[in-house]
Amino acid sequence: KKNNRLTCIIIGIDTFKSKLNSDNQAKFDDLFTKAQDLGIVNYIIIDSTDKIKKVEYDTWYKNYVNNNQGIWIGNGIAEQFSLKINNITKELRQEIGDNFCYVVKRGKPELVKYVEEFDMTDVIEEL
């Protein structure tokens, strides 16, 4: 409890797993068990839906990934099954513009405009 929280970001889960030797691939499931026991490690997995689908039936994914929360960038949230959405509405089937995404919390998606580019000089000039 005295330790700081740690966030591990994995970009490209299949690429990551393919770089592990056979011993480490066998230990990969155990990594999430030990992280949960510690209670201070969070994982963020960034990948496309087709890549996520390849690992959805892995033990570590089924036991430790929360499908009720995540970020979906672009159109098609109503047609996907990687994130659990409580209620598919007609608004979710509509195209969203550039710089928008859905933030899903407890199965409820919320349309959010995200920052694509950030220039710190603009902030400093305003101060």
Side-chain angles (χ1 to χ4, degrees):
K1 295 191 182 224
K2 295 178 183 179
N3 294 328
N4 292 330
R5 296 199 62 79
L6 174 68
T7 301
C8 178
I9 301 172
I10 301 173
I11 302 172
I13 191 67
D14 61 333
T15 304
F16 175 78
K17 286 183 68 176
S18 71
K19 291 183 180 181
L20 299 175
N21 64 32
S22 58
D23 288 340
N24 287 334
Q25 283 195 12
K27 295 175 185 176
F28 186 74
D29 286 357
D30 196 38
L31 174 72
F32 291 94
T33 303
K34 290 182 179 180
Q36 185 176 32
D37 291 345
L38 286 173
I40 60 170
V41 182
N42 291 317
Y43 289 90
I44 298 173
I45 300 171
I46 301 170
D47 218 325
S48 61
T49 309
D50 58 327
K51 303 291 172 99
I52 294 290
K53 283 185 166 296
K54 292 178 182 179
V55 297
E56 282 181 332
Y57 295 105
D58 291 359
T59 304
W60 66 269
Y61 190 93
K62 290 190 295 186
N63 290 339
Y64 301 108
V65 172
N66 183 350
N67 303 37
N68 292 325
Q69 65 183 28
I71 299 174
W72 181 270
I73 299 175
N75 297 310
I77 192 166
E79 289 80 30
Q80 59 81 37
F81 296 102
S82 294
L83 289 173
K84 303 280 188 210
I85 306 296
N86 293 338
N87 188 20
I88 303 295
T89 63
K90 66 178 182 177
E91 289 82 16
L92 296 177
R93 297 186 189 283
Q94 295 175 351
E95 287 193 30
I96 60 175
D98 294 340
N99 301 333
F100 282 90
C101 66
Y102 288 99
V103 175
V104 180
K105 293 180 185 174
R106 286 184 228 109
K108 183 179 179 189
E110 181 178 346
L111 186 62
V112 175
K113 182 172 176 64
Y114 65 88
V115 177
E116 188 173 7
E117 195 173 304
F118 184 75
D119 188 356
M120 192 63 179
T121 57
D122 293 339
V123 175
I124 293 171
E125 288 174 6
E126 290 181 17
L127 296 175

